[in-house]
Amino acid sequence: QVQVVESGGGLVQAGGSLRLSCSASGNIFSINAMGWYRQAPGKQRELVATIARGGSISYADAVKGRFTISRDNAKNMVFLQMDSLKPEDTAVYYCNVRQRIDLKSYDYWGQGTQVTVSS
């Protein structure tokens, strides 16, 4: 099992910045991708950004140029720097850790951290 814990959410005005952190612990071997997803009220969970162990990065179009994902493999942590925040970024943000063992993938999720952007 892998335990995933996020931190860093909060309330910020439009145009402001927040930095989310996520730490993975437990059986943390063969971790491949780490990333961030978000879910706004009444909407499905959606991808925000992912980063592979080798450094390959993907961003949702809605956050390109404003959010930056980074990773510390030695500490099994992933970060999301969010700049120029907009009210539509308001959501619960979830950290995802994907473990790959014997050609199978296992997803682990944190409990989520609330990000609220006021206009």
Side-chain angles (χ1 to χ4, degrees):
Q1 287 289 324
V2 176
Q3 291 76 48
V4 181
V5 178
E6 306 105 333
S7 62
L11 172 64
V12 65
Q13 288 188 332
S17 298
L18 283 173
R19 180 177 171 85
L20 305 183
S21 299
C22 170
S23 178
S25 61
N27 291 330
I28 48 175
F29 57 92
S30 299
I31 289 179
N32 185 4
M34 301 180 79
W36 294 93
Y37 291 69
R38 67 186 182 186
Q39 187 167 18
K43 294 187 177 181
Q44 290 188 330
R45 190 173 298 189
E46 63 178 7
L47 170 71
V48 176
T50 61
I51 181 168
R53 186 170 187 84
S56 177
I57 291 174
S58 295
Y59 290 106
D61 287 343
V63 306
K64 283 181 180 177
R66 300 188 298 121
F67 291 11
T68 303
I69 190 170
S70 61
R71 175 172 176 169
D72 185 333
N73 289 332
K75 296 182 179 179
N76 295 296
M77 296 187 71
V78 63
F79 308 95
L80 187 69
Q81 177 66 41
M82 304 185 293
D83 299 317
S84 302
L85 282 161
K86 303 176 181 180
E88 50 263 45
D89 294 318
T90 295
V92 178
Y93 283 69
Y94 296 90
C95 180
N96 170 264
V97 173
R98 177 162 291 178
Q99 191 176 43
R100 190 159 177 85
I101 303 172
D102 295 333
L103 302 180
K104 293 183 180 180
S105 293
Y106 302 87
D107 284 311
Y108 298 93
W109 297 90
Q111 79 287 352
T113 186
Q114 178 70 46
V115 172
T116 302
V117 184
S118 63
S119 57

